[in-house]
Amino acid sequence: MAGSNHGHTPAAWTGVTIAIIGFCISGAFMVMASPLGFWAGMVVVALGGVVGMAMSAAGLGKQKAASRTRQVASASAES
């Protein structure tokens, strides 16, 4: 898995970190029997997904294979 560069981007790290914080919030409020706090934590989890997708759309995520192939092909054609 390490050779495929799966998830090693700022977008992935940020989205997962926010989601983990949200799960911790939800877990704490679930133990305290507070439904409002639990759902607030779930909103934070969803926010982590939105932030990760927004950062990926801004170019901080993994490039798609087709665009990377074109870049390599154009670079080798120039050589």
Side-chain angles (χ1 to χ4, degrees):
M1 189 78 79
S4 67
N5 197 23
H6 177 73
H8 298 285
T9 63
W13 280 99
T14 305
V16 169
T17 301
I18 293 171
I20 288 173
I21 291 169
F23 278 118
C24 291
I25 292 169
S26 292
F29 280 104
M30 186 168 40
V31 170
M32 291 187 282
S34 174
L36 184 62
F38 170 80
W39 287 111
M42 294 278 71
V43 168
V44 174
V45 171
L47 180 67
V50 171
V51 168
M53 285 191 292
M55 288 180 69
S56 182
L60 295 172
K62 187 174 179 183
Q63 292 181 355
K64 295 187 180 189
S67 64
R68 192 173 342 128
T69 304
R70 276 189 244 129
Q71 290 174 353
V72 170
S74 65
S76 64
E78 292 174 0
S79 300

